[in-house]
Amino acid sequence: MSSAQLLSVSGVSKEFPGVKALNNVSFDLNEGEVHAIVGENGAGKSTLMKILSGIYKKDSGDITYKGSSVSIPNPFEAQKLGISIIHQELNLMPHLTVAENIFIGREDRFPGGVFLDNKKLVEAAVALLAELGLALNPNDIVGELTIAKQQMVEIAKAVSYRGSVIIMDEPTSSLTPAETDALFAIIRSLKAAGKGVVYISHRLEELEKITDRITVLRDGEYVQTLKTTETSIPEVISLMVGRKVAQDQRPENRVIGTEIVLRVEGLSDQHLLKDISFDLRKGEILGFAGLMGAGRTELARAIMGADPKTAGTITLHGNEVKIKQPSDAVAVGIGYLSEDRKRFGLLLNQDITFNVILSSIPRFSNKFGFLKVKSAAGIARDAIAQLRVRTPSERQFLKNLSGGNQQKVVIAKWLTRDCEVLIFDEPTRGIDVGAKDEIYRLLTKLAEEGKSIIMISSELPEVLRLSDRIAVMCDGRLTGIIDNKDADQNVIMELATKFSAGLTSVN
Amino acid sequence: MSEALSAAKKAEDGNKVAAFIRREIGRVTALASLVVIFTFFTIMRPVFASWANVSGGILMSTTVIGLMAIGVTFVIITGGIDLSVGTSMALVAVITGKTVMAMHLNVWSGILLGMLVGTILGAINGILITVLKLPPFIATLATMKGAQGLALIISDLKPILFTTDVKGWDSIAQGNIIPNFPNAVLILLVAAVVASIILNKTVLGRYTFAIGSNTEATKLSGVKVNRWLVAIYALCGLFVGLAAVVMTSRLGSAQPDLGLGYELEAIAAVIIGGTSLLGGKGTISGTIIGALIMSVLINGLRILELQQEWQYVVVGAVILLAVYGDNVRRRRAGETTH
Ligand SMILES: Nc1ncnc2c1ncn2[C@@H]1O[C@H](COP(=O)(O)OP(=O)(O)OP(=O)(O)O)[C@@H](O)[C@H]1O
Ligand SMILES: [Mg+2]
């Protein structure tokens, strides 16, 4: 295989007010190579990629592309050079169709350049989607698709530029195993065509499957570049965090009382959920497993009153509670940490303090309605220290935090609210191994303090590691609740595909 | 397996129909409301439905607001707003009137001049918003005031009469190329069709929706968002210029103090027509229906001899109802508020 160098970055630095995001970082990418960039939340991975795709300007350093030194002042220039990127956060136009999104900025036109040739556009999209093996309808409105499908649109869009370098910033964080495999197939064919792929992921087990080399960043500094075949995941982790991290434990057999805190009976909704009943005990972590689309998030939203229920009752300590809207749920002590933090969980234009106290404002205001600024800032600083949020201060705006650090702030918000029942929906999405470990410890500690926790997660090892019992959903129904000691991947997968066997391929 | 597939396909077709209804229901209900209101007034006073009232009263009074509302629709779909259209219309009218009289321009040059001046005023809004990075609300509030003042200064506070030397200026709006059908209404119709084509079939239209749906993503996709925004505000100005021409033709003069307040009626028409103030969605036909609902209401209430002050209250209530109804429908359909 020829391995001519496509791209090389040397000595790149970038500073934001109060944050040295990148300090003298170098790396290079060859033709036909998949090169992973790994590092903890806030290590500077996305920043480096944004420099390569023309969104940020570097303070210093050189970028060489196909042998000549280049400057990349804006996204348009990056596209012209042949560098395309799938951003960590979805960047789509929700009101437009799949085809319109994929080809935005490059739509087919009739001669004259004014009128759109929609037929050609859709044909091109059909051809591209078929080539990539993606089951998407080009005429669907993107805002009506699931997050996973939207991610597929992003992938198709990035490939459609037909550039030489494709950057993927956490493309799999919202994909199922089957969808991840589809993505890997795409990556392999890109590789075969001699393209270079930069791959960022916190799911380190993916690295062995797909990457050729791994570059580790820590706190904005270049640490080392390794050949995938010559290293191991534990080695990568210790380079990332600078210490050893335990993996894949199971909970020690904690003794859970028999006191039932939350009881859900016969809950259904308009579209998906059918007759769901379960109990949640005091001090318990109840994991919810299932495939994407099984209805776990819908269940959480229905319990919280964010979406209407058509049937069912919710009882708290034996008393039925009427929950019509999320504030009702929070008032009786049920908190929900949403999976889609950007849309439902955070105020991106506000600072960390404001976000942390958002659900508990009464506690941080005096009787005249003024905010107790000092104690609010104090609690925010505590949270930053406890969750190790990487930020210069509690006054930093959320939009300036890295993706994983934003997630930590959402968690801090609900810890501050001090709810009796906490529903965590994908709590570790986009979170690095070190921080994951801390979040696991935190959840366990909360449970030990007597809180009851529902944890929805698509990562089975995570469910197995944390849950006392595991509830499995399929197609809007609860297909079983099993004790952790009786559970393994096979049992869970069987329950998770009970009604859809043969339709969805799982591995 | 094939059974399962065909069942899945059927379900998908069902979804498509549902999705279609969901997407179009805004306009369908707006149209239905229009028909209901119209029928109501017709039953109350049959003269309401006479062609004389419909063409001379309702349609004719829809033309100026309708033309402005078409322009504003583009701006609102981008997630922006244009508060300056009312007074800009007055300024265009004054400038066009002065120039036409001073240079003895013919009708066609006069029309083109009006549209050109409107376009320039619109482009200025666009430049303030993109280059100086002012929020659209502030930028167009400022130009609204500026245009109001300039119109009064240039006209010296006096109406500019189109004397008979400008042959045919009055027939721009009031003539009948089609018998019994005022030209102004024809202009509105043609403008609506052209605008609809621009919005749905051209690159500019596509970017109008894209910017309103997610400006940042559009920018990151390599689209030169600022340039397109200037073009969109300029296009809005073009329709305002056309509105000014129709207005002066109807009145036979350019009135420097007539226009303030029109911007809100135009915005109301756009909103009643189902265009989202948050951007990303909207239609020209909805806007036209919205403008018609407003003029049908005002005309009908006048025929019922309801006092002017109560007419305002009713119009206010209708705006509330229309937007609330739209929200309820969307929530039912399970759409999240983008
Ligand atoms: N626009 C900005 N303004 C200020 N600080 C920023 C900005 N963008 C990023 N940062 C800071 O730069 C550092 C690196 O962020 P970056 O997003 O590159 O991290 P990352 O490695 O991608 O992390 P994650 O795994 O959480 O996505 C973080 O400390 C972040 O807070
Ligand atoms: Mg990142």
Side-chain angles (χ1 to χ4, degrees):
Chain A
M1 199 197 325
S2 78
S3 56
Q5 197 176 71
L6 264 178
L7 179 72
S8 115
V9 171
S10 65
V12 165
S13 299
K14 171 82 191 170
E15 192 164 347
F16 295 111
V19 190
K20 187 109 198 160
L22 291 174
N23 187 11
N24 199 16
V25 168
S26 305
F27 103 109
D28 62 285
L29 178 70
N30 297 331
E31 280 177 3
E33 181 190 37
V34 181
H35 194 144
I37 310 275
V38 299
E40 288 185 289
N41 296 132
K45 306 179 293 294
S46 298
T47 304
L48 182 59
M49 296 311 128
K50 285 180 182 165
I51 287 173
L52 289 177
S53 54
I55 296 162
Y56 290 157
K57 290 197 179 60
K58 58 186 185 329
D59 297 340
S60 59
D62 292 308
I63 301 171
T64 312
Y65 180 73
K66 293 188 174 166
S68 44
S69 168
V70 291
S71 75
I72 310 176
N74 55 47
F76 190 67
E77 209 51 45
Q79 281 169 23
K80 271 213 317 222
L81 286 173
I83 301 174
S84 61
I85 177 165
I86 302 170
H87 289 281
Q88 182 169 10
E89 309 289 345
L90 288 169
N91 263 297
L92 296 167
M93 280 65 66
H95 299 86
L96 303 194
T97 67
V98 170
E100 288 167 357
N101 263 284
I102 293 176
F103 294 109
I104 185 77
R106 301 160 296 149
E107 29 285 286
D108 285 301
R109 304 171 186 193
F110 288 112
V114 173
F115 289 96
L116 298 163
D117 188 344
N118 258 326
K119 202 163 145 250
K120 238 171 144 183
L121 184 85
V122 171
E123 279 167 10
V126 168
L128 176 70
L129 293 169
E131 175 194 332
L132 300 178
L134 296 176
L136 286 170
N137 182 342
N139 293 314
D140 280 350
I141 301 288
V142 161
E144 294 170 3
L145 300 177
T146 60
I147 297 190
K149 287 211 165 145
Q150 295 189 12
Q151 186 69 55
M152 294 298 187
V153 177
E154 289 270 30
I155 292 165
K157 181 175 162 188
V159 173
S160 76
Y161 286 98
R162 308 282 175 199
S164 312
V165 173
I166 297 183
I167 298 167
M168 304 188 175
D169 196 348
E170 296 196 41
T172 54
S173 66
S174 56
L175 298 187
T176 63
E179 290 160 343
T180 302
D181 281 348
L183 173 65
F184 287 175
I186 294 173
I187 293 179
R188 283 189 197 103
S189 69
L190 291 172
K191 230 177 108 137
K195 319 236 155 165
V197 176
V198 182
Y199 189 83
I200 297 176
S201 177
H202 286 296
R203 296 188 175 170
L204 299 179
E205 72 281 1
E206 292 174 354
L207 301 185
E208 285 178 335
K209 288 194 202 155
I210 196 75
T211 67
D212 301 305
R213 283 190 295 164
I214 302 171
T215 289
V216 181
L217 300 184
R218 184 164 71 218
D219 288 341
E221 315 245 352
Y222 172 84
V223 178
Q224 202 174 331
T225 299
L226 307 149
K227 280 215 167 77
T228 308
T229 46
E230 292 165 9
T231 183
S232 64
I233 290 182
E235 186 186 0
V236 172
I237 292 175
S238 65
L239 286 174
M240 274 172 64
V241 301
R243 65 194 153 86
K244 282 228 155 66
V245 177
Q247 277 199 306
D248 287 340
Q249 301 158 326
R250 299 284 278 259
E252 301 105 57
N253 265 326
R254 291 194 293 121
V255 191
I256 311 293
T258 51
E259 186 188 337
I260 290 170
V261 176
L262 176 80
R263 166 168 283 171
V264 173
E265 275 178 301
L267 190 145
S268 302
D269 77 354
Q270 224 172 349
H271 304 291
L272 185 62
L273 303 176
K274 280 177 226 74
D275 194 23
I276 292 180
S277 306
F278 66 91
D279 291 337
L280 179 66
R281 291 179 234 160
K282 189 175 169 69
E284 174 182 50
I285 298 181
L286 178 62
F288 268 78
L291 300 179
M292 204 75 53
R296 294 166 302 161
T297 295
E298 287 77 2
L299 173 63
R301 289 179 56 87
I303 293 175
M304 287 305 289
D307 293 328
K309 331 178 224 305
T310 51
T313 57
I314 295 171
T315 334
L316 212 59
H317 293 297
N319 305 318
E320 185 175 341
V321 284
K322 286 256 173 285
I323 297 176
K324 291 225 171 64
Q325 53 198 29
S327 62
D328 298 342
V330 177
V332 297
I334 307 177
Y336 174 54
L337 190 135
S338 151
E339 67 173 335
D340 189 349
R341 57 174 176 259
K342 210 170 177 180
R343 248 169 77 200
F344 303 118
L346 290 172
L347 307 180
L348 290 173
N349 284 319
Q350 297 293 340
D351 64 7
I352 297 181
T353 306
F354 192 77
N355 275 280
V356 167
I357 66 165
L358 184 60
S359 304
S360 349
I361 293 216
R363 233 176 81 206
F364 294 97
S365 48
N366 66 21
K367 58 177 183 276
F368 302 112
F370 287 94
L371 278 184
K372 297 187 207 157
V373 180
K374 269 200 191 130
S375 69
I379 208 89
R381 276 195 298 270
D382 291 349
I384 289 168
Q386 188 182 11
L387 297 174
R388 299 212 306 164
V389 180
R390 189 163 188 257
T391 172
S393 85
E394 76 282 359
R395 310 263 302 269
Q396 180 70 292
F397 288 120
L398 260 285
K399 62 172 182 227
N400 292 339
L401 294 185
S402 77
N405 282 307
Q406 291 181 357
Q407 180 74 345
K408 293 182 190 173
V409 173
V410 189
I411 295 179
K413 174 173 101 174
W414 288 109
L415 294 182
T416 306
R417 182 65 177 76
D418 200 21
C419 290
E420 193 178 6
V421 175
L422 282 166
I423 306 176
F424 288 88
D425 197 350
E426 305 287 355
T428 61
R429 170 172 298 164
I431 285 200
D432 68 58
V433 271
K436 250 184 199 169
D437 209 54
E438 276 156 44
I439 286 169
Y440 294 159
R441 226 172 303 149
L442 204 81
L443 290 188
T444 316
K445 192 173 129 230
L446 286 170
E448 274 160 7
E449 286 167 4
K451 304 250 187 298
S452 306
I453 292 172
I454 291 175
M455 188 197 59
I456 300 169
S457 171
S458 298
E459 291 185 37
L460 277 185
E462 179 169 298
V463 175
L464 286 169
R465 172 166 171 181
L466 285 180
S467 321
D468 300 300
R469 288 185 304 152
I470 296 162
V472 188
M473 287 183 69
C474 174
D475 249 0
R477 279 168 283 195
L478 198 60
T479 45
I481 300 185
I482 40 184
D483 280 337
N484 189 303
K485 63 177 177 344
D486 306 325
D488 62 29
Q489 306 232 359
N490 293 333
V491 180
I492 293 176
M493 267 310 159
E494 207 167 290
L495 287 169
T497 52
K498 202 162 173 177
F499 301 116
S500 51
L503 285 179
T504 327
S505 71
V506 185
N507 56 341
Chain B
M1 191 65 207
S2 72
E3 244 169 59
L5 273 183
S6 75
K9 181 143 176 30
K10 233 180 244 162
E12 195 176 289
D13 288 348
N15 282 345
K16 256 187 223 152
V17 173
F20 177 79
I21 292 173
R22 207 182 320 154
R23 230 164 285 147
E24 295 304 320
I25 196 158
R27 263 188 296 174
V28 174
T29 20
L31 190 60
S33 326
L34 179 61
V35 172
V36 168
I37 298 171
F38 192 88
T39 318
F40 170 77
F41 286 125
T42 308
I43 293 170
M44 299 297 287
R45 295 277 194 286
V47 62
F48 177 79
S50 68
W51 180 244
N53 185 48
V54 169
S55 75
I58 299 171
L59 292 179
M60 202 59 179
S61 68
T62 312
T63 51
V64 170
I65 297 289
L67 284 169
M68 286 195 215
I70 290 174
V72 172
T73 305
F74 283 87
V75 167
I76 291 186
I77 293 176
T78 66
I81 193 88
D82 191 344
L83 297 175
S84 73
V85 292
T87 56
S88 289
M89 181 189 74
L91 181 57
V92 173
V94 167
I95 294 176
T96 310
K98 279 258 172 189
T99 319
V100 167
M101 302 309 289
M103 300 177 61
H104 305 287
L105 297 180
N106 68 14
V107 169
W108 289 108
S109 330
I111 295 175
L112 284 181
L113 179 70
M115 294 182 8
L116 180 70
V117 175
T119 307
I120 293 171
L121 293 180
I124 292 175
N125 278 331
I127 289 167
L128 291 177
I129 289 163
T130 54
V131 178
L132 299 190
K133 309 226 181 304
L134 299 177
F137 189 96
I138 306 295
T140 61
L141 186 65
T143 50
M144 164 184 160
K145 284 290 160 196
Q148 185 184 15
L150 285 177
L152 293 170
I153 294 168
I154 294 174
S155 67
D156 213 2
L157 304 171
K158 285 194 290 279
I160 297 156
L161 298 179
F162 283 78
T163 52
T164 37
D165 349 336
V166 197
K167 245 189 265 130
W169 191 263
D170 56 343
S171 59
I172 297 174
Q174 302 177 33
N176 295 298
I177 295 180
I178 303 171
N180 273 329
F181 201 80
N183 282 350
V185 179
L186 190 64
I187 292 176
L188 177 64
L189 259 176
V190 173
V193 171
V194 170
S196 203
I197 292 173
I198 295 176
L199 188 58
N200 295 306
K201 303 266 181 238
T202 68
V203 182
L204 182 122
R206 176 67 46 80
Y207 293 157
T208 304
F209 283 110
I211 292 169
S213 193
N214 188 343
T215 313
E216 200 53 33
T218 311
K219 225 179 252 171
L220 293 180
S221 306
V223 176
K224 300 196 164 124
V225 167
N226 284 352
R227 279 203 217 161
W228 288 105
L229 273 177
V230 173
I232 290 163
Y233 278 86
L235 182 68
C236 174
L238 185 144
F239 285 105
V240 172
L242 198 55
V245 170
V246 170
M247 186 79 168
T248 52
S249 164
R250 271 177 63 191
L251 300 176
S253 64
Q255 304 280 348
D257 55 354
L258 200 65
L260 188 64
Y262 282 38
E263 65 283 341
L264 295 181
E265 297 202 20
I267 293 169
V270 175
I271 302 302
I272 292 176
T275 295
S276 163
L277 262 184
L278 300 173
K281 54 178 274 200
T283 57
I284 299 295
S285 56
T287 294
I288 296 295
I289 295 170
L292 281 172
I293 287 181
M294 301 247 295
S295 46
V296 162
L297 260 181
I298 291 174
N299 182 282
L301 294 173
R302 216 174 274 158
I303 289 185
L304 290 187
E305 285 160 22
L306 191 70
Q307 288 160 324
Q308 175 90 41
E309 39 288 22
W310 282 105
Q311 292 178 20
Y312 294 146
V313 176
V314 172
V315 171
V318 165
I319 294 176
L320 274 186
L321 263 179
V323 178
Y324 176 71
D326 200 41
N327 276 351
V328 170
R329 260 195 326 267
R330 249 181 283 162
R331 234 172 296 149
R332 285 239 183 87
E335 203 178 298
T336 46
T337 38
H338 291 299

